[in-house]
Amino acid sequence: MTNEVMTKADEDDVIDGLFSFIDRKVMPLQEKLRPFFEDSRLYFSDNGHEADEIVAARKQVRIDSAAAGYYNLFTPVELGGSGLGKRLMVRLTAS
C-alpha cells in the first residue's frame, strides 16, 4: 500500500499497530535488559563490542518486526518494502 492510497484511518491503524508491537515485544526486552542499559560495563563486553545479550535482543526485535510487517515500512516496494510515504513517517516521528 503506498502513501497515495492510504487514508488517515489507514495510517492510524499502522501507528496503533506499531505502538502495540513496541509495548508487547520491545518494552519487555528493554525491561529484562535494564541492567545493561544502566551500566556501560555490562552493555559492552571486554573486547568493546556490545554484549551478546544486547546483540541477541536487537536481532530478535528485527526478526519479530519483520514478521509483523514493521521492519521495512518505508523501504520502496521495488526493494521489498511496504513503500509507505513521508507523511506517515512524520506522523510516527511526532507520536
Side-chain angles (χ1 to χ4, degrees):
M1 184 177 284
T2 64
N3 192 40
E4 289 77 38
V5 296
M6 283 193 87
T7 65
K8 184 176 181 305
D10 293 331
E11 290 179 355
D12 290 343
D13 288 344
V14 171
I15 292 168
D16 291 345
L18 179 59
F19 282 113
S20 175
F21 172 84
I22 292 168
D23 289 341
R24 287 182 290 107
K25 299 287 187 171
V26 179
M27 296 309 291
L29 273 175
Q30 183 173 330
E31 187 58 36
K32 177 182 172 188
L33 297 171
R34 179 181 297 275
F36 290 86
F37 295 118
E38 292 176 344
D39 185 347
S40 62
R41 292 172 297 171
L42 295 175
Y43 189 89
F44 295 102
S45 64
D46 291 339
N47 64 8
H49 296 124
E50 290 179 325
D52 292 342
E53 294 87 344
I54 298 296
V55 173
R58 183 177 285 119
K59 180 179 180 180
Q60 190 60 54
V61 168
R62 281 195 310 264
I63 290 168
D64 291 346
S65 66
Y70 296 116
Y71 189 71
N72 61 356
L73 281 177
F74 304 105
T75 303
V77 173
E78 57 271 14
L79 297 177
S82 297
L84 301 184
K86 292 179 183 176
R87 182 178 71 186
L88 177 58
M89 185 184 297
V90 168
R91 288 189 65 206
L92 272 168
T93 303
S95 295

